[in-house]
């Protein structure tokens, strides 16, 4: 049952209008004192208000503003004299649904009430529908975020498995892929790289040698120096890695570092012979990290040296192998992240 609040300073009008509305099946509250309007409105929670425009305490316009502040969807019909029609129209522009000129007949009143309540119902349905859509969007967004988080874990697990498989195959580099990925990402972050670009650098660094999975054991695991033909085979692993990742949607962008991680700043690297800024920034950061890691950890082809000596060697190759503008920042980062115990332990083996 719709609720209607009638406020008019003429008690006879309040009584008459209230009786007509009740006979039509509406729940009605009537007031002749406009100062009681706000309190009754809060308790009664009407769907529609019929307000006399000119009242001695609070005007219909005053009540209209109070009521709209409490319930923006409440409908309002003004009961007004002919001289007040301009003000009534202005209030309709502010949100009132209609106005009736005094004296009005009850047929006019009932038609205006029905229109107002139909409009109120339509507004409620629209609000409910909008709220339903908002809840639906929130639920779907939460489900999508859950799915993306799950997909991220799957992706991270895939990356970890691939890098572990590579380290297992080339046992001389145990843990190498994880280390260089963490350090390269850290250096890139310190120079201001963030977001998706940083994520691509992390992925590319982690899988930089994934192309070696296609290198024959006779070449990859050979204990001595490679001959010319074997070296040509080995030098193809960046290409193999790029092609491998190009077929995996979420790793396609990371293939840039995989393909360029053996380029050198002066253009003497491979496979493309890129120079300077033509080499992706992630690959330039990686080159420093990879060289330091190779020097301070034991490999079949070299004995480990101290981090200090490794840093000296990187500085010596500034401008040839490595980007001179990145070296100092990279070495500062590495000096605080390379395990001190590992450095000391590895370096002592050379004594």
């Amino acid at each position: 049952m719709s609720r209607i609040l009638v406020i008019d300073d003429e008690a006879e009008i309040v009584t008459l209008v209230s009786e007509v509305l009740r006979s039509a099946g509406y729940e009605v509250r009537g007031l002749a004192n406009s100062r009681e309007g706000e309190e009754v409105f809060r308790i009664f929670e009407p769907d529609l208000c019929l307000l006399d425009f000119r009242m001695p305490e609070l005007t219909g316009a005053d009540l209209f503003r109070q009521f709209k502040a409490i319930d923006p969807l409440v409908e309002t019909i003004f009961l007004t004299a002919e001289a007040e029609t301009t003000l009534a129209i202005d209030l309709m522009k502010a949100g009132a649904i209609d106005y009736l000129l005094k004296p009005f007949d009850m047929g006019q009143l009932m038609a205006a009430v029905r229109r107002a309540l139909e409009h109120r119902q339509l507004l409620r349905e629209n609000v409910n529908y909008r709220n339903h859509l908002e809840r639906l969007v929130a639920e779907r967004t939460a489900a999508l975020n859950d799915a993306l988080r799950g997909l991220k874990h799957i992706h991270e697990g895939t990356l970890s498995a691939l890098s572990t498989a590579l380290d297992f195959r080339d046992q001389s580099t145990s843990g190498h892929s994880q280390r260089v990925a963490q350090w390269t990402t850290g250096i890139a972050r310190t120079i201001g790289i963030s977001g998706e670009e940083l994520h691509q650098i992390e992925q590319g660094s982690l899988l930089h040698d994934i192309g070696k999975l296609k290198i024959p054991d006779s070449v990859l695991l050979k204990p001595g120096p490679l001959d010319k033909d074997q070296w040509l085979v080995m030098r193809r692993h960046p290409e193999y890695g790029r092609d491998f990742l190009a077929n995996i949607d979420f790793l396609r962008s990371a293939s840039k570092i995989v393909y360029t991680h053996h380029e050198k700043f002066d253009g003497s690297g491979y496979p493309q012979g890129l120079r300077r800024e033509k080499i992706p920034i992630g690959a330039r950061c990686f080159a420093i990290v990879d060289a330091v890691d190779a020097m301070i950890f034991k490999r079949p082809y070299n004995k480990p040296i101290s981090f200090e000596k490794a840093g000296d060697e990187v500085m010596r190759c500034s401008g040839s192998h490595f980007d001179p503008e990145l070296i100092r920042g990279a070495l500062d980062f590495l000096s605080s992240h390379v395990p001190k115990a590992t450095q000391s332990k590895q370096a002592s083996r050379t004594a």
Side-chain angles (χ1 to χ4, degrees):
M1 181 185 297
S2 297
R3 294 182 297 276
I4 301 175
L5 176 61
V6 180
I7 304 179
D8 194 304
D9 62 326
E10 295 183 58
E12 297 83 359
I13 292 179
V14 172
T15 300
L16 176 61
V17 170
S18 297
E19 288 178 354
V20 170
L21 293 173
R22 287 192 186 99
S23 67
Y26 300 115
E27 184 179 351
V28 183
R29 290 289 301 273
L31 293 176
N33 184 350
S34 60
R35 285 204 171 275
E36 299 174 6
E38 182 178 357
E39 181 181 358
V40 172
F41 183 91
R42 291 183 182 277
I43 296 171
F44 186 51
E45 297 181 343
D47 300 297
L48 170 65
C49 295
L50 302 180
L51 304 179
D52 183 21
F53 191 83
R54 187 72 59 186
M55 291 183 284
E57 299 291 340
L58 293 174
T59 68
D62 295 330
L63 292 174
F64 172 74
R65 284 187 284 269
Q66 288 180 354
F67 296 168
K68 279 291 185 180
I70 299 169
D71 178 4
L73 297 183
V74 69
E75 300 293 355
T76 303
I77 297 174
F78 282 103
L79 310 177
T80 179
E82 186 173 355
E84 299 160 343
T85 55
T86 301
L87 291 175
I89 291 171
D90 287 340
L91 288 168
M92 286 182 67
K93 292 178 181 178
I97 189 69
D98 206 348
Y99 72 95
L100 296 175
L101 290 175
K102 294 181 178 180
F104 50 84
D105 64 51
M106 291 304 156
Q108 276 185 300
L109 174 66
M110 296 307 298
V113 166
R114 284 193 296 270
R115 286 195 301 271
L117 292 174
E118 287 171 0
H119 187 257
R120 164 82 165 182
Q121 182 62 28
L122 181 62
L123 289 178
R124 279 181 165 174
E125 289 174 358
N126 285 340
V127 169
N128 291 338
Y129 182 64
R130 185 173 66 247
N131 290 339
H132 170 70
L133 287 181
E134 289 174 353
R135 286 194 300 272
L136 195 61
V137 169
E139 290 170 2
R140 294 293 185 271
T141 300
L144 178 60
N145 286 335
D146 288 343
L148 289 175
R149 280 191 291 271
L151 189 60
K152 180 181 178 183
H153 292 322
I154 292 172
H155 287 174
E156 290 174 349
T158 301
L159 293 176
S160 179
L162 287 172
S163 66
T164 300
L166 180 60
D167 284 348
F168 275 157
R169 183 157 185 254
D170 186 1
Q171 294 184 7
S172 66
T173 61
S174 179
H176 166 73
S177 298
Q178 295 283 351
R179 286 195 304 271
V180 296
Q182 292 172 4
W183 295 345
T184 303
T185 305
I187 292 168
R189 188 180 291 111
T190 64
I191 62 175
I193 297 175
S194 61
E196 184 60 26
E197 185 180 6
L198 185 67
H199 189 52
Q200 292 169 5
I201 289 173
E202 180 181 20
Q203 292 178 330
S205 301
L206 184 65
L207 299 177
H208 65 281
D209 272 342
I210 195 67
K212 285 184 177 179
L213 291 175
K214 195 173 179 180
I215 303 299
D217 288 350
S218 59
V219 175
L220 182 65
L221 305 181
K222 185 177 179 179
L226 302 179
D227 61 31
K228 182 179 179 180
D229 291 338
Q230 291 171 333
W231 184 239
L232 289 175
V233 172
M234 179 64 83
R235 284 167 65 103
R236 295 200 63 186
H237 79 270
E239 177 187 347
Y240 294 149
R242 177 202 61 187
D243 294 345
F244 179 78
L245 298 189
N247 293 317
I248 305 174
D249 286 344
F250 78 97
L251 293 176
R252 191 170 292 121
S253 298
S255 65
K256 290 181 181 179
I257 291 182
V258 172
Y259 191 44
T260 58
H261 75 277
H262 277 296
E263 301 290 351
K264 295 180 181 178
F265 196 70
D266 62 1
S268 62
Y270 66 91
Q272 301 175 86
L274 299 178
R275 298 180 70 250
R276 305 175 70 85
E277 284 75 22
K278 294 289 185 181
I279 306 170
I281 183 68
R284 280 180 273 149
C285 293
F286 173 85
I288 299 170
V289 172
D290 190 45
V292 170
D293 188 84
M295 286 187 279
I296 67 174
F297 286 91
K298 184 174 176 59
R299 301 284 182 88
Y301 49 80
N302 76 295
K303 292 181 179 180
I305 62 177
S306 68
F307 174 75
E308 183 179 358
K309 290 182 179 179
D312 291 341
E313 180 62 18
V314 169
M315 293 295 294
R316 187 183 69 80
C317 296
S318 174
S320 56
H321 286 34
F322 311 115
D323 185 341
E325 294 191 6
L326 294 178
I327 287 177
R328 177 48 54 198
L331 292 177
D332 287 346
F333 177 88
L334 291 172
S335 67
S336 60
H337 288 79
V338 169
K340 296 296 189 293
T342 302
Q343 288 184 49
S344 175
K345 180 179 178 181
Q346 296 286 5
S348 67
R349 293 178 182 174
T350 65

